[in-house]
Amino acid sequence: IVPNLGVCQLPGRDFDTLVLADIPGLIEGAHDGVGLGHAFLRHVERCRVLIHLVDGSADDPLSNLKAIESELELFNPDLASKPKVVLVNKMDIKHVRDKWPELRDAIKKEVKHGRVDAVSAAANVNLMPVMQRVKAMIDKPPPPEEGEEAAADAGEG
């Protein structure tokens, strides 16, 4: 298992692309080095926006999301403040679609933001609109690091 890079060509713009890093294999205990933990988590630190792709057909997708969030925060508390998008996959499956409204509300309550959406990778449903929103998030300048803002303010006269 290795991290993979992919490039998404966005529609409607000439040569506008989005580079995505797929970090598979994050398991419980990764923050302590279990599995490929530290090797994978170091890649996550370099990402500007994190996309959690949650398997909507899993027995407990919300618990799976909580486990990943916990591992990220235990590894590096700064990861908890990175902008995130949660995508629930497999909307092409009827029972996943049926439980989506309730799952969406539970995820929004857990993550405390509204960047939660439904997709189907198999049926190519809602992928490009989501990628365009992620690109807009990445294109925003990052907030200043601690101390940078104070230093800039001190220089203004």
Side-chain angles (χ1 to χ4, degrees):
I1 299 176
V2 295
N4 297 297
L5 291 179
V7 178
C8 177
Q9 176 73 42
L10 297 173
R13 300 186 201 178
D14 291 7
F15 306 109
D16 202 1
T17 59
L18 179 63
V19 178
L20 302 162
D22 176 22
I23 315 291
L26 188 58
I27 60 172
E28 194 169 342
H31 72 280
D32 282 329
V34 173
L36 299 174
H38 288 170
F40 281 6
L41 288 167
R42 279 193 294 274
H43 289 284
V44 175
E45 288 179 308
R46 297 174 46 204
C47 297
R48 294 263 313 271
V49 174
L50 302 180
I51 302 173
H52 293 305
L53 186 61
V54 178
D55 182 348
S57 69
D59 290 336
D60 191 350
L62 184 59
S63 288
N64 294 347
L65 175 63
K66 288 179 184 180
I68 291 171
E69 282 283 306
S70 175
E71 288 302 318
L72 292 174
E73 188 164 5
L74 288 168
F75 177 72
N76 179 346
D78 291 340
L79 291 176
S81 65
K82 282 195 179 268
K84 296 180 184 81
V85 174
V86 179
L87 301 179
V88 178
N89 191 25
K90 300 194 178 175
M91 287 296 146
D92 53 300
I93 301 171
K94 184 179 182 332
H95 79 273
V96 176
R97 281 191 313 275
D98 292 345
K99 69 179 181 179
W100 166 240
E102 182 180 327
L103 180 58
R104 178 191 55 225
D105 293 345
I107 290 173
K108 284 182 178 182
K109 183 177 179 183
E110 175 65 28
V111 299
K112 299 173 181 60
H113 64 71
R115 294 179 307 274
V116 178
D117 219 327
V119 298
S120 170
N124 194 20
V125 172
N126 202 29
L127 296 175
M128 278 304 140
V130 167
M131 292 299 104
Q132 288 172 312
R133 289 193 300 273
V134 168
K135 177 69 171 159
M137 290 173 70
I138 290 170
D139 286 347
K140 278 186 186 174
E145 294 288 325
E146 257 186 64
E148 282 183 15
E149 192 171 307
D153 289 342
E156 293 176 6

